[in-house]
Amino acid sequence: MLKYDYGKRIKAMINREVGLEKREVSISKLSHKYHENLMDLEARFHDQNARYDKIKNRIKKETEECNEIQKTIDDWKKRISEMQNEAQRCVAEAIHNRQQLIQQLDEIHALKLATNTYINLHALPERIQGVFVQETEVHRGWHPFCFKPLSHTPEEVRQIIWGNSENAVAYSEAWERLVFRSVREMLLQSTKGS
């Protein structure tokens, strides 16, 4: 019986060893499969990480470009706003100047009628040309005049146009203020600009 017990024991030991080998083989297969999956996951992780870095860099680049475009848009908006403000200022200034010119022309017209002095506005500013109509009880006298504004003083201008007329003193200052001074200023500015 002893032999039988040894045989059983040896058989049990062999069976255990075979079972352990089977377990070792299955554990080895599982370990190999785990390591393969781990390597595959690591490769996928590196690929996804590289794609993430590319996307992140592209987003950063696109954001910088977007910021530059936004800055350019803001600069253009600012320039357009400045241009609009300048245009509005110019329009307001032009309206103001036109109103002043209309008022000045109205004053000149009233002054023409009051003094019987008519100036050819198309000849301005190169020369002051026109006619003074002197009315007396006996007759009407026409006194034409034409001269360069920068070549005469206001007193000389008064003498050239009105001579010894009574209206000359009363209205010559108004003529000087409305027409002659502005014509001289225009000529001086044009000669400085040349």
Side-chain angles (χ1 to χ4, degrees), residues 121-183:
L121 296 177
H122 298 291
L124 297 175
E126 289 83 21
R127 64 186 189 282
I128 297 176
Q129 179 182 7
V131 66
F132 166 62
V133 180
Q134 187 175 18
E135 291 185 25
T136 62
E137 295 173 4
V138 180
H139 75 288
R140 254 186 193 182
W142 290 66
H143 301 284
F145 55 88
C146 182
F147 59 92
K148 292 190 176 185
L150 292 178
S151 61
H152 299 285
T153 65
E155 292 77 22
E156 292 173 335
V157 169
R158 185 181 310 132
Q159 189 64 31
I160 291 170
I161 297 175
W162 296 289
N164 295 322
S165 171
E166 297 167 5
N167 287 343
V169 177
Y171 293 104
S172 63
E173 289 181 17
W175 276 107
E176 172 67 25
R177 179 177 50 84
L178 288 173
V179 178
F180 307 137
R181 187 180 304 147
S182 60
V183 168

Side-chain angles (χ1 to χ4, degrees), residues 88-104:
Q88 288 174 352
R89 188 191 63 75
C90 288
V91 166
E93 185 178 319
I95 290 171
H96 176 72
N97 289 344
R98 184 166 174 86
Q99 288 172 344
Q100 280 185 329
L101 181 63
I102 290 170
Q103 182 181 0
Q104 188 176 15

